[in-house]
Amino acid sequence: MNNIKLVCSKGHERTTIQVGEAVFGRDFVVIAGPCSVESEEQMLAIAHAVKAAGAHLLRGGVFKPRTSPYGFQGLGLKGLKILVRAREATGLPIVSEVLDTRDVSWMSEYVDVFQIGARNIQNFSLLKEVGKARKPVLLKRGMYSTFAEWLNCAEYILNEGNPDVILCERGIRTFETYTRNTLDLSAVPAIKELTHLPVIVDPAHGTGRASLIQPMSLAAVASGADGLTVEVHNDPKAALSDGDQALTPPEFAAIIRKVLSLRTFMESLN
Amino acid sequence: MNNIKLVCSKGHERTTIQVGEAVFGRDFVVIAGPCSVESEEQMLAIAHAVKAAGAHLLRGGVFKPRTSPYGFQGLGLKGLKILVRAREATGLPIVSEVLDTRDVSWMSEYVDVFQIGARNIQNFSLLKEVGKARKPVLLKRGMYSTFAEWLNCAEYILNEGNPDVILCERGIRTFETYTRNTLDLSAVPAIKELTHLPVIVDPAHGTGRASLIQPMSLAAVASGADGLTVEVHNDPKAALSDGDQALTPPEFAAIIRKVLSLRTFMESLN
Amino acid sequence: MNNIKLVCSKGHERTTIQVGEAVFGRDFVVIAGPCSVESEEQMLAIAHAVKAAGAHLLRGGVFKPRTSPYGFQGLGLKGLKILVRAREATGLPIVSEVLDTRDVSWMSEYVDVFQIGARNIQNFSLLKEVGKARKPVLLKRGMYSTFAEWLNCAEYILNEGNPDVILCERGIRTFETYTRNTLDLSAVPAIKELTHLPVIVDPAHGTGRASLIQPMSLAAVASGADGLTVEVHNDPKAALSDGDQALTPPEFAAIIRKVLSLRTFMESLN
Amino acid sequence: MNNIKLVCSKGHERTTIQVGEAVFGRDFVVIAGPCSVESEEQMLAIAHAVKAAGAHLLRGGVFKPRTSPYGFQGLGLKGLKILVRAREATGLPIVSEVLDTRDVSWMSEYVDVFQIGARNIQNFSLLKEVGKARKPVLLKRGMYSTFAEWLNCAEYILNEGNPDVILCERGIRTFETYTRNTLDLSAVPAIKELTHLPVIVDPAHGTGRASLIQPMSLAAVASGADGLTVEVHNDPKAALSDGDQALTPPEFAAIIRKVLSLRTFMESLN
């Protein structure tokens, strides 16, 4: 890594990115919502619940990158309109994943933060396109990305003129099968050594097991993360995607209470 | 894998795909050319050399998925026009990688086979777009793709109406550092157990070392592969990308002579 | 994992193991000391320092499993005698790694806890031999061990009649090169779901970088770990092994103060 | 790897090791037999069958490194005596795995070649002990060993005065689940670039699927391997271990005929 000279490398004061009332890189920011937007009723129920529990941003997928072409592919524009109504109802800014260069321009009319998923981490055309957009980008680590490669992906976005990149550790692929991925929390302090960009953690994709979300969320706070993104569903068993790793609203509320309490403690520790 | 019911699964006679005079799934097909198209002079020299050595298709990248945004990104349309002139001069059909959904339609005027690279293996928008094109697709395995995931990616293309998918094993990411990737030749017979699609091997990306290309090309033939794709450059040390793993034309000719001789022997063995 | 019926599986109240004044499985236990025992002077200095900082057990290797046969192989019996003098001087029980079945019997005269290192995780003869000993065993996860395999290794020890096994997550081998291994903190809550044995964390081997030890130690506490093992050296640059990941005594003291403070906070959180 | 100066490194003429009538490093040597020695009747039947099919050495495990302590652990001395009777009946030298330093001395009265299994690749005490023995050692690659580490393990043996080490590629652990391990055939030419020791291939452990043994055996020959080790059982479904990857004697005979025919062809190719 020594010979990498990137704009995103350290030697710059830490980047802060304001979205709604939350500031990535200063506050501990919680993003929550369902894996997929399924209906207006579902979305509004979840949005009100996660807002009440302390979430700062609302997430929900409308274009889903599914392993199989026969899996649920998302509601598309209809889903975005539902997200917008949930934002109007709660005031929570919205984060949603973009999969296609052709969608960046028009989707930026709806979303507050673009998410780039792990499977598109080296879709360089898409990185360049969101680099031209005027919206922050949540850039998930690829399941096979080294830190150096991940930072180069961020650099593709910065190099197009968009400085507002939030990195997100979401687990890497290893030989372990009990967890869906291996959540690499050492990425949090390591990435902070290497870049001035904020870094958050996705404990649900990182482990694939609802029972591991609380301990890994707390560990993420203690490791120095700038926030979390968590999947919450009002009826996980009926979810159209990723139900195994979604929290119910009461579970989410209990975890966030502990998470925010721990964050306050950690600030007193330094 | 037992519960996957895919169109690309076995239980269908083996798919054959004719490109120029070669038939994937019947002949042993050799694709050769430089990593990147750099100039007309370079391309014509290489095209004539690989044709003389027995190659059936000509490859050359014009949009390059580079780890760093500051790496050479390819010549784009100018490069495609050079490839077309090389095709006119040699009669070799051309294979080139597409990175962006917006490029599929117009690029299909130039190329004979679309290549989808390892980094875009789960760029599902791109897979759907080449699924709508009327050209064969060379689908490289992702560096983190299981066989099941890889076949689902092929299924995205077939499901849009394009049956002409050629799979390409190109190495997976492991802990080993001596080789750039670990070339998984067991993929050849395993994939043939699981699908009727043809499968070829890329020994250059699979190992990242020119010295390993000959033994791994021969091993690929013996494992039952339907072909090879190899990087050939008239001046590897001056190559704008991947010079460490490119063969010179005489090296390529020597290897292909052995490869085709071995293929003939293998056919006599069964 | 569902069909594993192991003695070490859950459905048994949590195992507690007293060593000196500390109780694994109840207290947060800190093990500290140099990678290798180098001299009596070094060992006494470190032992007094880590005791003053709050460590409960003293570690030091006398048989070193080195990648190269030309690396420092440890002081053997002479080193054990030095450890014993350090125990006499400080009252701290000692932990040391055993490599050979022939050494288990006589080493048990000196050590309080046997360590089985990652490289011997599936040295089943050695596991059986420490299973016959009357001392607790600190069993490190192999760098390629799944949770299921690791628990079966513990089972080899329990099956010989020794119930006192302490598991230790120390990082697994992945493709990442910035860290020496990838510390898998999800192992802590996952292993606690699967077994009643205590589990501690080794942040130094898990990352290979001194700068990452503090954040990963704090994250280990927050994930629910029962303790830590940390390498401390009075002169890391002169260490005969693993100097890059050793803490100085003042660094160790600062980290342990935060770690124990965080542990107290975590107990109040539940 | 550049700064490794090992006795086993290149710059020495290729090592040849005679065992019975076969010479590793000169001939293509085939080792065959069951995973475990189960009974005299089984062993004699298999020994006669593999000899008739062209095998040069007989293999059979009597100490089995099983993941679970409740798996079949092998017949021990009784099994060695059965192997000796099979050697007397067929003239085939015998290869068997040693697990414990305490067994090396007395086992050397029975076996012709010691096998060190993947799980003991970094059991340095055991490597030193077989380094003191006067028998060749078949050293399997660990499932997480880099080439550099593997050669250092060979060096432990050479450094004790035993020059007769045969390396064996047997697959590494990756994320793929269709195969039990990922057989890394690039290890064959890579290891030959780095050392003068012979290298053979184990296609059964490398893939874990009987259907893949033939294509991977042929690929191993084409990659330049010095031999194969294959599991053969007269009744795979009744085998006490690894039945899924064992060949029947007729399957073995058919494969070996092709393998030896290909080897002859390969020699004509150079």
Side-chain angles (χ1 to χ4, degrees):
Chain A
M1 301 281 289
N2 295 329
N3 58 354
I4 296 174
K5 284 275 176 144
L6 301 177
V7 174
C8 73
S9 292
K10 243 182 132 175
H12 174 294
E13 65 182 78
R14 299 210 73 77
T15 293
T16 55
I17 302 168
Q18 177 146 11
V19 183
E21 294 174 17
V23 179
F24 287 92
R26 187 192 73 188
D27 308 329
F28 190 85
V29 183
V30 178
I31 305 171
C35 178
S36 297
V37 177
E38 298 170 7
S39 71
E40 182 163 350
E41 185 186 7
Q42 166 235 30
M43 201 64 222
L44 285 172
I46 295 172
H48 283 294
V50 300
K51 164 140 192 183
H56 305 97
L57 282 84
L58 183 65
R59 58 148 289 142
V62 300
F63 296 111
K64 301 302 305 172
R66 303 302 298 278
T67 300
S68 163
Y70 310 123
F72 175 60
Q73 305 278 314
L75 295 183
L77 174 59
K78 184 181 164 197
L80 283 173
K81 289 181 175 169
I82 292 172
L83 278 172
V84 167
R85 284 195 284 279
R87 177 174 59 197
E88 289 165 356
T90 61
L92 296 178
I94 55 183
V95 186
S96 201
E97 182 170 355
V98 61
L99 297 182
D100 193 317
T101 50
R102 295 171 298 194
D103 297 334
V104 173
S105 175
W106 69 266
M107 272 183 76
S108 70
E109 304 291 318
Y110 296 87
V111 302
D112 299 289
V113 176
F114 279 114
Q115 179 175 310
I116 301 289
R119 289 169 182 74
N120 280 308
I121 184 70
Q122 289 192 317
N123 179 343
F124 299 118
S125 293
L126 187 60
L127 297 178
K128 288 178 185 172
E129 202 68 22
V130 295
K132 290 172 193 148
R134 316 259 58 163
K135 300 279 178 172
V137 179
L138 181 62
L139 181 67
K140 293 202 159 187
R141 182 182 184 183
M143 42 191 116
Y144 65 96
S145 300
T146 64
F147 300 154
E149 287 170 343
W150 189 14
L151 291 182
N152 269 285
C153 294
E155 190 79 1
Y156 265 96
I157 300 170
L158 270 64
N159 191 43
E160 297 292 330
N162 185 346
D164 293 337
V165 175
I166 303 143
L167 300 168
C168 180
E169 163 63 29
R170 50 78 71 207
I172 56 174
R173 183 162 280 188
T174 69
F175 56 80
E176 180 59 64
T177 54
Y178 186 79
T179 47
R180 182 168 157 186
N181 292 286
T182 295
L183 186 66
D184 178 9
L185 286 183
S186 75
V188 173
I191 285 291
K192 284 182 171 264
E193 286 180 356
L194 294 167
T195 177
H196 47 80
L197 298 172
V199 56
I200 72 170
V201 172
D202 177 347
H205 285 91
T207 63
R209 285 183 171 263
S211 65
L212 301 180
I213 293 177
Q214 176 173 310
M216 298 317 285
S217 294
L218 294 169
V221 175
S223 74
D226 293 303
L228 288 176
T229 176
V230 183
E231 294 191 359
V232 179
H233 197 283
N234 50 347
D235 186 2
K237 286 181 188 159
L240 294 181
S241 54
D242 280 354
D244 287 349
Q245 63 191 41
L247 300 172
T248 62
E251 290 167 341
F252 173 71
I255 290 173
I256 292 308
R257 187 184 54 74
K258 292 181 186 176
V259 157
L260 296 177
S261 173
L262 175 58
R263 169 68 174 206
T264 302
F265 175 79
M266 292 304 296
E267 286 172 340
S268 76
L269 200 57
N270 292 308
Chain B
M1 301 282 290
N2 296 329
N3 58 354
I4 296 176
K5 285 275 176 145
L6 300 177
V7 175
C8 72
S9 292
K10 247 184 127 174
H12 174 294
E13 64 181 80
R14 300 210 72 79
T15 293
T16 54
I17 302 168
Q18 177 147 10
V19 183
E21 295 174 16
V23 179
F24 287 93
R26 187 193 73 188
D27 308 328
F28 190 86
V29 182
V30 178
I31 305 172
C35 178
S36 297
V37 177
E38 298 171 6
S39 70
E40 182 163 349
E41 184 186 8
Q42 167 234 27
M43 202 63 222
L44 285 172
I46 296 171
H48 283 295
V50 301
K51 163 139 190 181
H56 306 96
L57 282 85
L58 183 65
R59 57 148 290 144
V62 302
F63 296 110
K64 300 302 305 173
R66 303 302 298 276
T67 301
S68 163
Y70 310 123
F72 174 60
Q73 306 278 314
L75 295 182
L77 174 59
K78 184 180 164 198
L80 283 173
K81 290 182 175 171
I82 292 172
L83 279 173
V84 168
R85 284 195 282 278
R87 177 174 59 198
E88 289 165 355
T90 60
L92 296 178
I94 55 184
V95 185
S96 201
E97 181 170 356
V98 61
L99 297 182
D100 193 317
T101 49
R102 296 171 297 193
D103 297 334
V104 172
S105 175
W106 68 266
M107 271 183 76
S108 69
E109 305 289 319
Y110 296 88
V111 303
D112 298 289
V113 176
F114 279 114
Q115 179 174 309
I116 300 289
R119 289 167 183 75
N120 280 308
I121 184 70
Q122 289 192 317
N123 179 343
F124 300 117
S125 293
L126 187 60
L127 297 179
K128 289 177 184 171
E129 203 67 24
V130 295
K132 291 172 194 149
R134 317 258 57 164
K135 300 279 178 170
V137 179
L138 180 63
L139 181 66
K140 293 202 160 188
R141 183 181 185 184
M143 42 191 117
Y144 64 97
S145 301
T146 63
F147 299 154
E149 288 170 342
W150 188 15
L151 292 182
N152 271 285
C153 294
E155 190 79 0
Y156 265 96
I157 299 170
L158 270 63
N159 191 41
E160 296 292 330
N162 185 345
D164 292 336
V165 175
I166 303 143
L167 300 168
C168 180
E169 161 65 29
R170 51 76 73 205
I172 56 174
R173 184 162 280 188
T174 70
F175 57 80
E176 180 59 64
T177 55
Y178 186 78
T179 47
R180 183 167 156 186
N181 293 285
T182 295
L183 186 67
D184 178 9
L185 286 183
S186 75
V188 173
I191 285 291
K192 284 181 171 264
E193 285 181 355
L194 295 166
T195 177
H196 47 79
L197 298 173
V199 55
I200 71 169
V201 171
D202 176 348
H205 285 91
T207 63
R209 286 182 171 262
S211 65
L212 301 180
I213 294 177
Q214 176 173 311
M216 298 317 285
S217 294
L218 294 168
V221 175
S223 75
D226 293 304
L228 289 175
T229 175
V230 184
E231 294 192 357
V232 179
H233 197 285
N234 50 347
D235 186 3
K237 286 182 188 157
L240 294 180
S241 54
D242 281 353
D244 287 350
Q245 65 192 40
L247 300 172
T248 62
E251 290 167 342
F252 173 71
I255 290 174
I256 292 309
R257 186 183 55 74
K258 291 180 186 177
V259 157
L260 297 178
S261 172
L262 175 57
R263 169 70 174 204
T264 301
F265 175 79
M266 293 304 296
E267 287 172 340
S268 75
L269 200 57
N270 290 307
Chain C
M1 301 281 290
N2 294 330
N3 58 353
I4 296 174
K5 283 276 175 145
L6 300 178
V7 174
C8 74
S9 291
K10 246 184 130 178
H12 174 295
E13 65 182 78
R14 300 210 73 77
T15 293
T16 56
I17 302 169
Q18 178 146 11
V19 182
E21 295 174 16
V23 180
F24 287 93
R26 187 193 73 189
D27 308 328
F28 190 85
V29 183
V30 178
I31 304 171
C35 178
S36 298
V37 177
E38 297 171 6
S39 71
E40 183 164 347
E41 184 186 7
Q42 167 235 28
M43 201 64 222
L44 286 171
I46 295 171
H48 283 294
V50 300
K51 165 140 188 177
H56 305 96
L57 282 85
L58 184 64
R59 57 148 290 142
V62 300
F63 296 111
K64 300 302 305 172
R66 303 301 298 278
T67 301
S68 163
Y70 310 124
F72 174 59
Q73 305 278 315
L75 294 183
L77 174 58
K78 185 181 163 195
L80 282 173
K81 290 182 175 169
I82 292 172
L83 279 173
V84 168
R85 285 197 282 280
R87 177 174 59 197
E88 289 165 356
T90 59
L92 296 178
I94 55 183
V95 186
S96 200
E97 181 170 356
V98 60
L99 296 182
D100 193 317
T101 50
R102 296 171 298 193
D103 297 334
V104 172
S105 176
W106 69 266
M107 273 183 75
S108 70
E109 304 290 319
Y110 296 88
V111 303
D112 298 289
V113 176
F114 279 114
Q115 179 174 309
I116 301 288
R119 288 168 183 75
N120 281 307
I121 184 69
Q122 289 191 319
N123 178 344
F124 300 117
S125 294
L126 187 59
L127 298 178
K128 289 177 184 173
E129 202 67 23
V130 296
K132 291 172 192 149
R134 316 258 59 166
K135 302 279 178 172
V137 179
L138 181 62
L139 181 66
K140 293 201 159 187
R141 182 182 185 184
M143 44 192 115
Y144 64 97
S145 301
T146 63
F147 299 154
E149 288 170 341
W150 188 15
L151 292 181
N152 270 284
C153 295
E155 191 79 1
Y156 265 96
I157 300 170
L158 270 64
N159 191 42
E160 297 292 329
N162 185 345
D164 293 336
V165 175
I166 304 142
L167 300 168
C168 180
E169 163 64 29
R170 49 77 73 206
I172 56 173
R173 184 162 279 185
T174 70
F175 57 80
E176 180 58 65
T177 54
Y178 186 78
T179 48
R180 183 167 155 186
N181 292 285
T182 295
L183 186 66
D184 178 9
L185 286 182
S186 75
V188 173
I191 285 290
K192 284 181 172 265
E193 285 180 354
L194 295 167
T195 177
H196 48 79
L197 298 173
V199 56
I200 71 169
V201 172
D202 177 348
H205 285 91
T207 63
R209 286 183 171 261
S211 64
L212 302 180
I213 294 177
Q214 177 172 310
M216 297 318 284
S217 295
L218 295 168
V221 175
S223 74
D226 293 302
L228 288 176
T229 177
V230 184
E231 295 192 357
V232 179
H233 197 284
N234 50 348
D235 186 2
K237 285 181 187 158
L240 294 180
S241 54
D242 279 354
D244 287 351
Q245 63 191 43
L247 299 172
T248 62
E251 290 167 343
F252 173 70
I255 290 173
I256 292 307
R257 186 183 55 74
K258 291 181 186 175
V259 157
L260 296 178
S261 172
L262 175 58
R263 170 70 174 202
T264 302
F265 174 79
M266 293 304 297
E267 286 171 340
S268 76
L269 200 57
N270 291 307
Chain D
M1 301 281 290
N2 295 330
N3 58 353
I4 295 175
K5 283 276 174 142
L6 300 177
V7 174
C8 73
S9 291
K10 244 183 131 178
H12 175 294
E13 65 183 80
R14 299 210 75 77
T15 292
T16 55
I17 302 169
Q18 179 147 11
V19 183
E21 294 174 14
V23 180
F24 287 94
R26 188 193 71 189
D27 307 329
F28 190 84
V29 182
V30 178
I31 304 172
C35 178
S36 298
V37 178
E38 297 171 8
S39 71
E40 183 163 346
E41 185 188 5
Q42 167 233 29
M43 201 64 222
L44 285 171
I46 296 171
H48 283 294
V50 300
K51 165 141 188 178
H56 305 95
L57 283 85
L58 183 65
R59 58 148 290 141
V62 300
F63 296 111
K64 300 302 305 172
R66 303 301 298 277
T67 300
S68 163
Y70 310 123
F72 174 59
Q73 305 277 314
L75 295 183
L77 175 59
K78 185 182 164 195
L80 283 173
K81 289 181 176 170
I82 292 172
L83 280 173
V84 167
R85 284 196 283 281
R87 177 175 58 198
E88 289 165 356
T90 60
L92 295 178
I94 55 184
V95 186
S96 200
E97 182 170 356
V98 61
L99 296 182
D100 192 317
T101 50
R102 296 171 299 193
D103 297 335
V104 172
S105 175
W106 69 267
M107 272 183 75
S108 70
E109 304 291 318
Y110 296 88
V111 302
D112 299 290
V113 176
F114 279 115
Q115 179 174 311
I116 300 289
R119 288 168 183 75
N120 281 307
I121 184 70
Q122 289 192 318
N123 179 344
F124 299 118
S125 294
L126 187 59
L127 297 179
K128 288 177 185 171
E129 203 68 22
V130 296
K132 290 172 191 146
R134 315 259 57 164
K135 301 278 179 174
V137 179
L138 181 63
L139 181 67
K140 293 202 160 185
R141 183 182 184 183
M143 42 192 116
Y144 65 96
S145 301
T146 64
F147 299 154
E149 288 170 343
W150 188 15
L151 292 182
N152 271 284
C153 294
E155 191 79 1
Y156 266 95
I157 300 171
L158 271 63
N159 191 42
E160 298 291 329
N162 185 346
D164 292 335
V165 175
I166 303 143
L167 300 168
C168 180
E169 163 64 29
R170 50 77 72 207
I172 56 173
R173 185 162 279 186
T174 70
F175 56 81
E176 180 59 65
T177 55
Y178 186 78
T179 48
R180 183 168 156 186
N181 292 285
T182 296
L183 186 67
D184 178 9
L185 285 183
S186 75
V188 173
I191 285 290
K192 284 182 172 264
E193 286 180 354
L194 294 167
T195 177
H196 48 80
L197 299 172
V199 55
I200 71 168
V201 171
D202 177 347
H205 285 91
T207 63
R209 287 182 171 263
S211 65
L212 301 180
I213 293 177
Q214 177 172 309
M216 298 317 284
S217 294
L218 294 168
V221 175
S223 74
D226 293 303
L228 288 176
T229 176
V230 183
E231 295 192 357
V232 178
H233 197 284
N234 49 347
D235 186 3
K237 285 181 188 158
L240 294 180
S241 54
D242 280 354
D244 286 352
Q245 63 192 42
L247 300 172
T248 61
E251 289 167 344
F252 173 71
I255 290 174
I256 292 308
R257 187 184 54 75
K258 290 182 185 174
V259 157
L260 296 177
S261 172
L262 175 58
R263 169 69 173 204
T264 302
F265 175 79
M266 292 304 296
E267 286 172 339
S268 75
L269 201 56
N270 290 308

